[in-house]
Amino acid sequence: MDEKTRTAAGIAASLQGITYDDKRLAELAAEVEVLNDAVRKAAAARLTFDDEPAAFASLMEREARK
Amino acid sequence: MRNDDIALWDLSEVSDAIATRRISSVEATEACLARIEAWQPRVNAFLRLYKDKALAQAKAMDTELAAGKRRGPLHGVPMAHKDMYYRKGELSTGGSEIRRNWIAPVTATVLEKLDAAGVVELGFLNMAEFAAGPTGHNEHHGHCRNPWDHSRVTGGSSSGSGASVAARLVYGALGSDTGGSIRLPAAACGVVGMKATYGRVSRAGAVARSWSLDHVGPLTRTVRDNARMLAAIAGHDSNDSTTSEKPVPDYEAELGNGIAGLKVGLALPNDGPVPLDAGIGKAVQAAADTLGRLGAKVAAVTLPDFTALYRAAEVMVKCEAAAMHRPWMEKTPELYANQVRTRMEAGFFIPATQYIDALRLRAHFVKEFLSTSMEGLDAVVLPAIPFPLPTIEETDTENKGGPAVLKMVAGFTGLTRPFNTLGVPALSLPCGFDANGAPIGLQLVGRPFDEALLYRIGHAYQGATDFHTRVPA
């Protein structure tokens, strides 16, 4: 079991109370790594302290054709 | 009228004929019921059919009309909806085994609106389990089959909505779209599907897949029909705090304004999870050429990095779905199809910070999209599904699986899911047929709350083409 899979195993057992076999944990660790990396990279290039989720809804209202 | 079989008329033709009492709502309902009887064994579009109730409702609508009361432009029109819209005191399965016998405690806002508009409800339609799946497979209630070729997928998750509208079993149907689930079945079945702007239509009383990305919308045979149906269901709802208070425009009023001078961007993206098929690209290019002949100024456009938009959407869906499904995933995991359950499991491992960042990124993604791809444009056209429609067997992730199958299934949403992240309106309409005779879908994308303009473009296109008039045999 590699480090990422061990981390996933720890999250599953200790934080979420869910049991998966080693094969599935390895698959999930790989899947989460791809998703996390993509969001982390996008966030690093764009987000600042003042960004909040609700900005999306206000922007949509503001950007509607007048 | 172009056909003796009322079931083959469009929603608008039927509603106008009912309004002028050339036909009755009962006659329209009976025509649909006859067609359903013939087609249901072939396509498995309906999960529940309420024949007697629908006829009684149609009779009541006719009585109202005879007394001089017309509720609106959908008065007496028969429809059916994806089985995820709650009606208080009635079954609502969400396409699942878990809720096979579940009784809804409330009525969905969109159903209340259609009730008020006088729509006749024929029943509820097949769908992917808990709206999770882009193909139309359903392990519990049977796969929905494409009316054009029963061996091929309908697209999902609003599989029954696409199939029933295409086969002329109903005049319109509600679907829902978290990653393409209105536009994919519309494209695959050769009908029109609108994912309106996030917040345009209430989600209250609908099975959630992802609160942040779910969009409720109509599937119909024509753009005019779609505009009429969206007008009936759109608007603010105090039961859904994400709905907009913007007034709902008269979508039909602008349909005939033509598209001369509109600026349309053409995107034929080849960098998604699967490459764009040459035949699909050719059909979309031809559609863009048609828009050009109608007076639009068409130019090639580059889309934003779909990978970031796609992954952000995946983070939102997986986290939200894992949270809402957790009790069932722990207690009765065997009641899910494997591919439905396993697609949610990563949500238990994604850090909350990443989920929140995905939400915070949306405003940035929208700004970038509007200031780059959409800059100076009124709309962007692109394919809905990047490849010819596969068969049900070829996309059977539950029983077949394997990397190639999984990649193909993931590829379905490659060109649709990013617009759920952006929340902008996207309309799918038929623009041709592939080498197997299955429909090809054109996607029109616009600025926030620009549904009227997309309808205008789509209506002009349908005035110059006949793909939407063809009926599966």
Side-chain angles (χ1 to χ4, degrees):
Chain A
M1 190 184 282
D2 64 19
E3 188 183 338
K4 285 167 194 157
T5 307
R6 273 200 301 277
T7 303
I11 291 170
S14 304
L15 300 182
Q16 296 284 19
I18 302 169
T19 307
Y20 293 108
D21 62 32
D22 290 354
K23 180 173 176 286
R24 182 62 185 144
L25 283 168
E27 290 169 353
L28 285 164
E31 184 181 353
V32 171
E33 184 180 18
V34 169
L35 296 177
N36 275 350
D37 283 354
V39 170
R40 206 166 56 206
K41 278 177 196 162
R46 294 171 177 87
L47 296 182
T48 68
F49 178 85
D50 293 311
D51 284 307
E52 62 166 299
F56 167 70
S58 6
L59 179 71
M60 297 298 276
E61 296 281 331
R62 210 164 54 239
E63 288 294 339
R65 195 185 294 266
K66 300 293 182 283
Chain B
M1 295 301 166
R2 60 195 171 138
N3 199 301
D4 289 338
D5 185 352
I6 298 171
L8 300 182
W9 299 2
D10 297 336
L11 181 156
S12 305
E13 290 176 286
V14 155
S15 68
D16 294 347
I18 290 172
T20 53
R21 303 186 67 189
R22 278 182 288 136
I23 64 165
S24 67
S25 174
V26 167
E27 286 173 309
T29 303
E30 285 173 340
C32 290
L33 289 169
R35 188 117 179 133
I36 291 165
E37 191 176 346
W39 276 82
Q40 172 64 10
R42 291 192 259 171
V43 294
N44 193 30
F46 272 79
L47 292 187
R48 290 185 308 287
L49 178 65
Y50 299 143
K51 186 178 174 180
D52 294 340
K53 188 179 161 192
L55 285 169
Q57 206 180 350
K59 194 174 175 186
M61 290 301 110
D62 286 336
T63 303
E64 279 191 9
L65 205 57
K69 180 182 177 185
R70 187 182 183 227
R71 298 188 182 204
L74 297 179
H75 188 110
V77 175
M79 295 186 187
H81 310 297
K82 188 175 186 178
D83 195 20
M84 55 170 276
Y85 293 101
Y86 300 163
R87 185 169 287 290
K88 188 176 181 179
E90 294 187 9
L91 266 180
S92 189
T93 72
S96 71
E97 182 61 33
I98 288 171
R99 281 189 161 179
R100 184 178 283 276
N101 300 306
W102 185 76
I103 304 297
V106 294
T107 299
T109 297
V110 283
L111 291 190
E112 286 177 343
K113 289 192 173 210
L114 292 177
D115 292 345
V119 167
V120 172
E121 194 169 270
L122 288 163
F124 285 89
L125 300 166
N126 207 345
M127 59 179 286
E129 180 181 355
F130 286 120
T135 56
H137 288 77
N138 187 306
E139 293 298 314
H140 312 297
H141 300 276
H143 309 321
C144 198
R145 296 180 175 275
N146 195 305
W148 292 94
D149 177 344
H150 306 158
S151 72
R152 295 187 189 278
V153 298
T154 54
S157 62
S158 311
S159 51
S161 306
S164 63
V165 172
R168 274 53 178 174
L169 313 185
V170 300
Y171 297 102
L174 290 173
S176 73
D177 192 317
T178 309
S181 290
I182 289 172
R183 291 160 288 159
L184 298 174
C189 295
V191 299
V192 178
M194 171 62 96
K195 179 201 85 67
T197 307
Y198 184 80
R200 184 73 289 186
V201 183
S202 172
R203 299 171 294 106
V207 167
R209 175 67 183 155
S210 161
W211 307 292
S212 299
L213 299 169
D214 290 345
H215 299 65
V216 170
L219 290 92
T220 57
R221 303 170 195 180
T222 71
V223 169
R224 178 182 289 282
D225 295 352
N226 209 279
R228 192 170 290 195
M229 196 170 163
L230 181 65
I233 60 171
H236 179 68
D237 177 17
S238 57
N239 288 322
D240 178 358
S241 65
T242 64
T243 50
S244 171
E245 293 190 2
K246 278 188 184 303
V248 178
D250 181 349
Y251 297 119
E252 282 192 78
E254 295 181 31
L255 287 181
N257 289 354
I259 60 170
L262 291 184
K263 293 174 183 169
V264 176
L266 168 65
L268 297 172
N270 218 355
D271 53 358
V274 291
L276 179 63
D277 174 80
I280 304 294
K282 198 173 163 186
V284 172
Q285 176 71 61
D289 293 344
T290 300
L291 297 179
R293 283 194 295 277
L294 292 168
K297 294 172 184 170
V298 182
V301 68
T302 304
L303 291 170
D305 176 11
F306 268 13
T307 306
L309 295 171
Y310 195 95
R311 298 288 186 231
E314 282 192 298
V315 165
M316 288 181 248
V317 173
K318 287 176 191 293
C319 290
E320 293 178 14
M324 69 181 94
H325 283 269
R326 179 180 186 127
W328 291 326
M329 289 171 78
E330 287 181 348
K331 288 177 191 162
T332 54
E334 72 284 358
L335 296 184
Y336 289 98
N338 284 326
Q339 64 97 13
V340 173
R341 190 186 66 254
T342 54
R343 282 177 63 196
M344 297 187 280
E345 287 172 339
F348 293 125
F349 298 86
I350 296 169
T353 46
Q354 252 69 36
Y355 169 68
I356 293 167
D357 278 353
L359 294 173
R360 296 166 80 210
L361 278 165
R362 291 181 87 183
H364 287 271
F365 288 147
V366 173
K367 278 182 205 164
E368 288 168 18
F369 177 65
L370 297 179
S371 64
T372 57
S373 304
M374 284 292 294
E375 177 65 24
L377 296 178
D378 294 297
V380 169
V381 299
L382 73 160
I385 300 172
F387 42 72
L389 213 55
T391 64
I392 291 170
E393 189 186 358
E394 284 168 342
T395 48
D396 185 356
T397 52
E398 190 72 11
N399 301 303
K400 203 170 171 186
V405 175
L406 291 171
K407 188 177 177 185
M408 179 186 283
V409 171
F412 267 90
T413 54
L415 301 180
T416 51
R417 191 182 294 280
F419 299 110
N420 294 75
T421 305
L422 294 171
V424 294
L427 177 72
S428 177
L429 64 164
C431 71
F433 293 86
D434 65 26
N436 303 310
I440 297 173
L442 173 73
Q443 202 179 178
L444 289 170
V445 177
R447 303 178 68 87
F449 297 97
D450 235 355
E451 288 81 8
L453 188 67
L454 297 187
Y455 281 142
R456 193 171 135 201
I457 298 170
H459 181 70
Y461 178 74
Q462 292 200 324
T465 57
D466 70 350
F467 302 116
H468 61 290
T469 66
R470 302 188 198 177
V471 181

